Amino acid sequence: MTRETSIDELAKQLDESLDLDGKHTSQEATTAAADLGAAADEDSVPDDLSDGESTYSVPSAVGSLSSEDSYDDGIGRVEVTGPAPPLTVHRPSLPVGVTSIFANTASTIDSIAEMIKTGSAKSIIVMAGAGISTDAGIPDFRSPGTGLYANLQKYRLPYPEAIFTIDYFRRKPRPFFVLAKELYPGQFVPTISHFFVKLLAKQGLLHRHYTQNIDCLERVAGVESDLIVEAHGSFHAAHCIGSKCRKEFPQDWVREKIFNDSIPHCDKCNSLVKPDITFFGEGLPTRFFDLLEGDFASCDLLIVMGTSLQVHPFAALINEVQSTTPRLLINRERVGESKTRGMGFDFDGSFAGSMPHRDALVLGDCDEACLLLADRLGWTDELLGLRAAFIEKRKLEHI
């Protein structure tokens, strides 16, 4: 999309992509288009910002969470305390003498877009949490009043996370499979954020996508398996949990069992068969450890989206890139910040010392931020087109 794209054209694009799943009206899309168009025309920080002001706001372009919402950060629950803030690009107030890796610290999102366009960022790693999947409408089994919550209450879970605890699963597998039926891949449409990752891959820029999510929506969006590391596992494969067996079972076989409300058992040893989701009490997938050292050493831009960075060892991955590699956090709130040099994000260069400042921050909804970055890259039409084409194909398959 060019800066000259009319509001009506952008409204049409947003309407086609975002309203296909019934989440937005044409009027909302028109308003959003006007807002995003205005944001796209902002070349610098507004003149009326005081010296102490470190952010500027970009109005919302897609729906945000309500005050009652919460989401799973991998397998841990993050409570949402209010609506997503207006999309805000942080403007750092750097200490005297600290330089920045960003050519334009007043608009780091533009600097990052320029790095991508000029080829200085061409081996990008994306780290993602549940914040990129909230707009897909995945149900929350912990929210009172929902049918799924009611269905699980009869099992009298000792605590909500027991459903993802391996010892509890061995004794009482039924609650997990009730939940799995509701969460199983194929029932949800990937979000703009997922298709932005797909677009990075299509452009040959995605080195790897590390996700805490178990929903497989990156795969559904068309990201190739070899580009994905599912740090907490996923529904994509399943194995017998018998320690001496570990027979693998095809996803379709497990899906059929789950949707027929039967508990899958191994035909070799009769142990339970479980999707390869990492439960509490289990180790992370071998692939996670096999790839992380080489991947992060070669990364030249790290994008972190929709995660609280509370769950380790995933959270510590932000420290694995080179000390001069630019890092961008897109999230509802500031997370993962430094308390000492070299550990965590340093958005204001407080611990930079002789090293250049290299951390950028965008606060707000992940889909909105991906739309803004796509605009800066000239990718808006292609990004919205990917999602629209996916939804159209899905509609035809269900006719």
Side-chain angles (χ1 to χ4, degrees), residues 199-258:
L199 187 51
L200 286 175
K202 186 178 178 183
Q203 298 284 350
L205 297 169
L206 182 68
H207 183 79
R208 203 85 66 192
H209 177 67
Y210 281 72
T211 180
Q212 293 175 282
N213 301 332
I214 62 175
D215 52 36
C216 295
L217 286 177
E218 296 86 2
R219 294 176 184 269
V220 176
V223 181
E224 296 294 331
S225 296
D226 65 322
L227 291 174
I228 301 172
V229 174
E230 290 153 330
H232 296 159
S234 75
F235 285 97
H236 185 66
H239 285 82
C240 166
I241 67 171
S243 59
K244 295 182 179 179
C245 181
R246 299 293 298 161
K247 179 179 177 179
E248 183 173 359
F249 288 83
Q251 185 183 36
D252 290 344
W253 180 85
V254 176
R255 186 184 191 281
E256 183 179 359
K257 293 287 186 182
I258 290 174

Side-chain angles (χ1 to χ4, degrees), residues 180-191:
K181 185 175 181 179
E182 298 295 327
L183 301 181
Y184 212 84
Q187 304 178 83
F188 306 100
V189 175
T191 66

